[in-house]
């Protein structure tokens, strides 16, 4: 599974030949630099970073890893991705957008926007109660959540109010519309998880090879 780390720029729309518009997401992809290769003891992955950064702005816990590999520190830290023999050759190698030349569909993983504490209607898409006469202050409440004396408790996993967003989300089978190699920008049809300027993982699609 070919993987690159990029930065979400934002969304816009483009028009096709028939003047139909559809939404696209712009992803900036700097050169991914290999920091470490783990291909022993049935562990097949590599550690990468992107772009270059001032040493003073890098966490001390990561500086040691960069010193060992003799790679200049990158922004965002270090990520682990699957190791592929044909693509990943040595430490310090630069991986760019060219590996997506012959790929039409991708899976994108990112951290969704955090929405804080949310009610059941927003969090689980519940239907609200009647807004006619007779319903007093119960328009957006979840209703009953338990049973009678037996079992006399609320089951685990009940859909209730709570924290919404700020979790890892993967959207599959997104179509690549266009690749601007000079500008290092990837155009993907539709939306992807995360806020602008957040890091995302772009992987070759599993279901649509």
């Amino acid at each position: 599974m070919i993987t690159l780390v990029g930065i979400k720029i934002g969304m816009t729309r483009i028009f096709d030949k028939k003047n139909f518009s559809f939404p696209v997401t712009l992803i900036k992809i700097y050169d991914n630099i290999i920091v470490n290769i783990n291909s022993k003891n049935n562990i097949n992955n590599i550690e990468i970073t992107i772009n270059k950064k001032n040493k003073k702005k890098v966490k001390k816990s990561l500086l040691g890893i960069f010193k060992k590999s003799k790679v200049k520190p990158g922004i965002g830290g270090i990520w682990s991705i699957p190791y592929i023999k044909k693509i990943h050759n040595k430490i310090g190698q630069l991986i760019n957008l060219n590996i997506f030349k012959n790929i039409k569909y991708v899976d994108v993983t990112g951290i969704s926007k955090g929405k804080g504490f949310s009610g059941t209607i927003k969090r689980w898409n519940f239907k609200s109660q009647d807004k006619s006469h007779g319903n007093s202050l119960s328009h957006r409440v979840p209703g009953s959540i338990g049973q009678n004396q037996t079992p006399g408790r609320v089951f685990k996993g009940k859909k209730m109010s709570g924290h919404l967003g700020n979790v890892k989300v993967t959207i599959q089978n997104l179509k690549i519309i266009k690749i601007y190699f000079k500008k290092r920008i990837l155009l993907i049809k539709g939306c992807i998880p995360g806020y602008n300027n957040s890091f995302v993982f772009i992987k070759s699609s599993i279901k649509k090879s």
Side-chain angles (χ1 to χ4, degrees):
M1 185 167 49
I2 300 170
T3 307
L4 278 179
V5 178
I7 299 174
K8 179 181 175 181
I9 298 175
M11 291 190 71
T12 183
R13 64 173 179 168
I14 59 176
F15 295 85
D16 60 10
K17 293 178 181 179
K18 295 181 180 179
N19 288 330
F20 288 107
S21 69
F22 52 90
V24 291
T25 302
L26 281 71
I27 302 175
K28 183 84 171 180
I29 297 183
Y30 295 100
D31 290 335
N32 285 212
I33 308 165
I34 297 177
V35 178
N36 190 21
I37 298 175
N38 300 319
S39 57
K40 297 178 181 178
N41 301 326
N42 297 323
I43 301 172
N44 292 318
N45 61 17
I46 64 167
E47 293 174 343
I48 61 168
T49 186
I50 62 170
N51 209 3
K52 294 176 183 178
K53 193 176 185 179
N54 191 347
K55 282 186 179 180
K56 293 179 181 178
K57 296 181 180 180
V58 179
K59 292 179 181 178
K60 288 184 178 179
S61 57
L62 298 177
L63 277 176
I65 300 172
F66 289 117
K67 282 182 181 178
K68 281 184 182 179
S69 59
K70 297 179 180 179
V71 173
K72 288 187 177 180
I75 61 173
I78 296 173
W79 299 275
S80 180
I81 64 172
Y83 170 68
I84 301 172
K85 272 189 178 181
K86 294 179 181 179
I87 299 174
H88 308 130
N89 301 316
K90 60 181 181 179
I91 292 172
Q93 178 190 349
L94 300 179
I95 308 163
N96 52 35
L97 263 174
N98 291 327
I99 63 172
F100 279 139
K101 261 186 180 180
N102 300 319
I103 294 173
K104 293 183 179 179
Y105 293 91
V106 291
D107 300 336
V108 181
T109 301
I111 304 297
S112 63
K113 290 182 180 179
K115 308 261 178 103
F117 190 93
S118 298
T120 51
I121 289 176
K122 182 174 180 178
R123 194 183 186 202
W124 301 108
N125 199 27
F126 281 1
K127 182 183 177 183
S128 59
Q129 295 189 28
D130 293 337
K131 296 178 182 178
S132 57
H133 296 289
N135 189 352
S136 180
L137 304 177
S138 298
H139 306 296
R140 294 180 66 87
V141 299
S144 61
I145 59 171
Q147 293 77 31
N148 297 327
Q149 188 172 353
T150 306
R153 63 188 178 88
V154 178
F155 291 121
K156 285 185 178 180
K158 186 73 177 173
K159 292 181 178 178
M160 298 176 69
S161 305
H163 187 266
L164 177 62
N166 197 30
V167 293
K168 187 182 282 187
V169 179
T170 300
I171 298 181
Q172 295 182 320
N173 308 327
L174 294 173
K175 188 177 181 180
I176 294 177
I177 300 298
K178 199 169 186 179
I179 301 175
Y180 294 97
F181 293 102
K182 289 184 179 179
K183 295 181 179 179
R184 300 178 180 180
I185 290 177
L186 183 69
L187 260 66
I188 294 177
K189 187 177 181 180
C191 59
I192 64 171
Y195 51 87
N196 294 346
N197 297 321
S198 63
F199 295 103
V200 292
F201 291 85
I202 305 101
K203 312 166 193 173
S204 55
S205 179
I206 297 173
K207 294 178 179 177
K208 289 188 177 182
S209 57

